[in-house]
C-alpha cells in the first residue's frame, strides 16, 4: 500500500539535478538495491524510466480494476438468487477497492489521481483488453471469476515481490481478496455444469468465449513484448508472459475436467517430454484489434466510465462544500499531495 | 479546496485489541469524517480492524532516505546497549 504520506511529497535532491557524478552514485545504489532484492520506496532515487514504467503499469492495472466492474455489474440485477446477488455485489465492490489501492500506489510516484482518470477518459492510458468483451449470459459471471480472475491471480502473485514497495504491498492485499473471486466463479460454473442440459450448455458456451481472451491477458509473446526484458531486469516483472501463460494453461486443464467442461482448443494436449501442455496458436490479430479500440465493447466501456464520472460530480462537489462549511480548515490541514 | 482534488489521508488500522495501529494505506476524502468512513469501506471489508486512525498526509514529517545513514548512525557504535555485548561466565543462571 502507499507508504507514509510525507514520503510522496518530497523527491530526492537528485531529481532534476544535472550533477552527473551524483546521478551515477544514485544509479549505483538503485541497481544494488534491486540486485539485492530490496524494495525501492517512494522517496528513494529511481531512474526516470523506472518511474515512468511503473506509472504506466500501475495506472493500467488500476484502470482495469475500475473498468472491470462493468461487465459483471451488468448481471447484478439479474442474479438468479439473493445469495448469488450478494456475492456478486461484494466482488464488484472489491474491484473498486483494488482500483483505489492501485491509484494510491501510483500516486506515490508523483502523479495525481485526477491526472490518471483524465488519461483513462481521454483514451491515453489503457486497461486490460479482456474487459472489452461482453457478458452475454449469467454463466459469463462464472467464466470471468474462474478464468479472468484466475489469469489475473497467476499474473499478480509474482507482483507481490515486485521491486517497488507500494505496488508490491497493494498486490499482497489484492491477491488475498482475489481468491474468493476465483472460487465463486468456479462454484457458479460447477452448479450450471451439473444442472439441466441447457444450463450445462450455457456454462460451456461461456468457457468457449472466455478461454482465448483469458490467454491473451498475459500479453504478447515474449519476442514481441516491448517492455518485458527491461521490466524483468528491474524486477518489476518476475516471469515472462509466455511462462505465466503456460503456468495458467497447466492449472486450468484439470480444473476444467473437474467442472465437466471442455476448453475450446483441439490442439490442447499433455506433452510428456516438456511436462507441460501444448496448446494451439493464439489469434494475436484479434488481440491487437481489441487493444486498438476495435473490440466489441471498447466504446461502451469508456462511455459508461465517463458518464459515471460526470454523474458523480455533484456528490464530490457536495462533499467538498460540506467539508468547507462544517470543518473549516480541514481542507488546508489535509493539504493535497505536493 | 477544489472539488476533485480532495486531500490525502493516511490510514492506520488496529487489527485487534492489544495490538498497535498499523499503516494500511491511503485514500482521498474531503474531511476527517468521510475519511474514516471511506477507510472502513476500503480497508476493513473483511473485519480486518477494530479501530481506525486517519491522519492528514500533509501532517506527517518523514526522515529522508538520503540522510538514512548519518541519521541513524549514533546507534551504530553503541553495541553495549545490547545484552549480548556482555560476557557472563558459563553456568551463571537467570541472567
Amino acid at each position: 500500500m502507499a507508504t507514509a504520506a510525507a514520503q510522496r511529497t518530497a523527491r530526492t535532491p537528485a531529481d532534476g539535478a544535472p550533477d552527473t557524478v551524483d546521478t551515477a552514485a544514485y544509479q549505483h545504489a538503485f541497481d544494488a538495491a534491486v540486485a539485492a532484492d530490496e524494495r525501492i520506496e517512494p522517496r528513494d532515487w529511481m531512474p526516470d524510466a523506472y518511474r515512468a514504467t511503473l506509472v504506466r503499469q500501475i495506472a493500467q492495472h488500476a484502470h482495469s480494476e475500475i473498468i472491470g466492474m462493468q461487465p459483471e455489474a451488468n448481471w447484478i440485477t439479474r442474479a438468479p438468487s439473493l445469495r448469488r446477488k450478494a456475492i456478486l455485489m461484494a466482488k464488484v465492490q472489491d474491484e473498486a477497492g483494488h482500483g483505489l489501492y492501485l491509484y494510491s500506489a501510483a500516486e506515490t510516484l508523483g502523479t495525481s489521481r485526477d491526472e490518471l482518470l483524465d488519461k483513462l477518459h481521454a483514451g491515453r492510458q489503457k486497461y486490460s483488453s479482456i474487459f472489452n468483451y461482453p457478458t452475454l449470459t449469467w454463466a459469463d459471471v462464472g467464466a470471468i471469476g474462474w478464468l479472468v480472475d484466475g489469469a489475473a491471480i497467476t499474473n499478480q502473485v509474482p507482483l507481490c515481490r515486485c521491486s517497488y514497495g507500494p505496488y508490491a504491498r497493494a498486490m499482497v492485499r489484492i491477491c488475498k481478496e482475489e481468491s474468493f473471486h476465483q472460487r465463486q466463479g468456479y462454484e457458479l460454473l460447477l452448479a450450471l455444469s451439473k444442472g439441466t442440459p441447457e444450463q450445462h450448455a450455457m456454462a460451456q458456451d461461456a468457457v468457449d468465449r472466455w478461454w482465448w481472451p483469458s490467454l491473451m491477458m498475459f500479453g504478447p509473446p515474449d519476442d514481441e513484448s516491448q517492455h518485458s526484458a527491461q521490466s524483468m531486469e528491474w524486477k518489476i516483472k518476475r516471469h515472462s508472459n509466455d511462462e505465466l501463460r503456460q503456468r495458467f494453461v497447466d492449472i486450468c486443464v484439470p480444473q476444467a475436467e473437474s467442472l465437466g467442461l471442455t476448453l475450446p482448443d483441439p490442439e490442447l494436449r499433455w506433452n510428456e517430454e516438456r511436462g507441460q501442455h501444448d496448446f494451439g496458436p493464439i489469434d494475436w490479430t484479434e488481440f491487437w484489434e481489441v487493444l486498438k479500440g476495435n473490440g466489441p465493447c471498447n466504446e461502451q466501456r469508456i462511455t459508461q466510465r465517463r458518464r459515471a464520472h460526470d454523474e458523480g460530480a455533484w456528490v464530490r462537489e457536495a462533499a467538498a462544500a460540506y467539508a468547507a462549511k462544517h470543518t473549516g480548515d480541514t481542507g488546508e490541514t489535509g493539504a493535497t499531495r505536493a | 479546496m477544489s472539488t476533485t482534488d480532495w486531500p490525502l489521508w493516511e490510514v492506520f488500522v488496529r487489527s485487534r485489541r492489544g495490538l498497535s495501529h498499523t499503516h494500511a494505506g491511503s485514500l482521498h476524502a474531503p474531511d476527517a469524517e468521510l475519511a474514516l468512513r471511506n477507510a472502513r469501506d476500503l480497508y476493513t471489508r473483511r473485519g480486518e480492524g477494530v479501530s481506525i486512525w486517519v491522519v492528514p498526509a500533509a501532517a506527517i514529517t518523514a526522515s529522508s532516505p538520503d540522510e538514512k545513514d548519518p541519521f541513524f548512525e549514533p546507534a551504530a557504535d553503541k553495541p553495549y546497549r545490547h545484552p549480548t555485548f556482555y560476557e557472563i561466565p558459563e553456568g551463571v543462571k537467570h541472567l
Side-chain angles (χ1 to χ4, degrees):
Chain A
M1 218 55 4
T3 44
Q7 297 199 351
R8 78 194 56 198
T9 60
R11 288 197 170 188
T12 65
D15 273 341
D19 188 331
T20 49
V21 178
D22 265 13
T23 305
Y26 281 123
Q27 178 77 48
H28 184 76
F30 172 85
D31 292 342
V34 170
D37 258 339
E38 282 173 20
R39 297 288 175 267
I40 306 300
E41 295 295 341
R43 285 188 70 187
D44 293 339
W45 184 92
M46 60 187 90
D48 289 344
Y50 177 83
R51 187 186 297 274
T53 296
L54 280 167
V55 169
R56 182 180 50 77
Q57 179 169 339
I58 300 173
Q60 180 171 331
H61 200 155
H63 298 331
S64 298
E65 302 283 358
I66 299 300
I67 296 286
M69 295 166 75
Q70 291 184 34
E72 294 188 280
N74 180 34
W75 283 93
I76 289 177
T77 57
R78 291 169 290 167
S81 68
L82 191 55
R83 176 177 182 271
R84 294 285 178 202
K85 187 172 185 161
I87 290 169
L88 187 53
M89 283 197 292
K91 181 182 190 292
V92 172
Q93 191 187 10
D94 269 358
E95 307 299 359
H98 295 177
L100 294 179
Y101 304 155
L102 288 161
Y103 284 126
S104 287
E107 283 180 290
T108 64
L109 291 159
T111 179
S112 76
R113 190 156 318 185
D114 284 346
E115 197 180 322
L116 296 174
L117 285 176
D118 285 348
K119 283 182 177 163
L120 170 65
H121 297 156
R124 289 194 290 133
Q125 277 175 346
K126 292 187 167 57
Y127 55 88
S128 177
S129 64
I130 192 84
F131 300 115
N132 291 315
Y133 291 87
T135 42
L136 302 178
T137 71
W138 168 250
D140 287 25
V141 172
I144 289 179
W146 176 40
L147 295 173
V148 176
D149 290 313
I153 291 170
T154 306
N155 249 330
Q156 289 169 354
V157 166
L159 285 174
C160 296
R161 294 185 296 123
C162 164
S163 60
Y164 188 59
Y167 191 30
R169 291 191 286 276
M171 292 322 304
V172 169
R173 189 177 286 270
I174 288 174
C175 284
K176 260 189 218 159
E177 300 183 350
E178 201 81 52
S179 73
F180 122 67
H181 297 182
Q182 194 186 18
R183 290 177 75 127
Q184 65 84 33
Y186 194 84
E187 186 204 69
L188 192 167
L189 280 180
L190 188 63
L192 290 175
S193 179
K194 286 178 165 173
T196 65
E198 289 81 3
Q199 288 173 322
H200 180 88
M202 187 164 85
Q204 183 63 59
D205 168 65
V207 170
D208 289 347
R209 282 182 289 107
W210 289 94
W211 174 248
W212 291 107
S214 298
L215 293 192
M216 294 177 199
M217 283 176 69
F218 296 93
D222 293 347
D223 47 13
E224 288 171 41
S225 180
Q226 207 185 334
H227 308 286
S228 271
Q230 179 63 77
S231 285
M232 286 179 71
E233 210 165 286
W234 279 328
K235 295 189 182 169
I236 294 173
K237 259 177 100 139
R238 297 282 181 161
H239 306 282
S240 78
N241 294 354
D242 288 332
E243 247 178 276
L244 291 168
R245 187 166 16 244
Q246 179 71 55
R247 185 180 298 178
F248 179 66
V249 170
D250 292 334
I251 288 171
C252 285
V253 171
Q255 290 179 346
E257 266 169 42
S258 300
L259 276 176
L261 298 172
T262 57
L263 297 171
D265 180 357
E267 294 177 44
L268 188 63
R269 60 178 56 85
W270 178 252
N271 183 325
E272 192 68 51
E273 219 169 278
R274 291 201 302 131
Q276 291 173 322
H277 290 85
D278 291 337
F279 53 97
I282 292 169
D283 181 0
W284 291 111
T285 321
E286 175 181 319
F287 174 78
W288 294 116
E289 279 303 307
V290 175
L291 213 60
K292 264 190 272 173
N294 303 323
C297 301
N298 295 59
E299 190 59 42
Q300 182 186 332
R301 298 287 184 246
I302 210 69
T303 303
Q304 168 64 20
R305 173 86 272 281
R306 285 198 206 108
R307 186 166 62 218
H309 190 72
D310 293 344
E311 288 177 357
W314 72 270
V315 178
R316 296 190 294 276
E317 283 161 21
Y322 182 88
K325 186 172 167 188
H326 291 270
T327 53
D329 289 331
T330 302
E332 275 171 39
T333 52
T336 52
R337 193 186 49 74
Chain B
M1 178 167 60
S2 87
T3 52
T4 52
D5 212 8
W6 285 347
L8 188 67
W9 302 76
E10 296 297 329
V11 179
F12 299 81
V13 176
R14 183 203 293 283
S15 57
R16 56 189 165 83
R17 293 182 63 87
L19 296 182
S20 57
H21 287 74
T22 306
H23 185 239
S26 58
L27 50 76
H28 291 273
D31 59 33
E33 194 187 329
L34 273 174
L36 263 185
R37 283 168 186 273
N38 291 352
R40 176 200 58 191
D41 292 345
L42 191 55
Y43 292 108
T44 60
R45 285 199 301 285
R46 288 171 176 77
E48 290 94 333
V50 294
S51 164
I52 298 176
W53 290 345
V54 289
V55 180
I60 293 176
T61 306
S63 62
S64 157
D66 294 325
E67 295 161 15
K68 182 176 61 126
D69 294 339
F71 191 72
F72 295 106
E73 195 273 336
D77 60 352
K78 295 174 183 64
Y80 44 84
R81 283 175 174 168
H82 298 276
T84 49
F85 179 77
Y86 301 93
E87 273 180 43
I88 302 295
E90 256 181 63
V92 176
K93 288 177 181 166
H94 308 299
L95 199 66

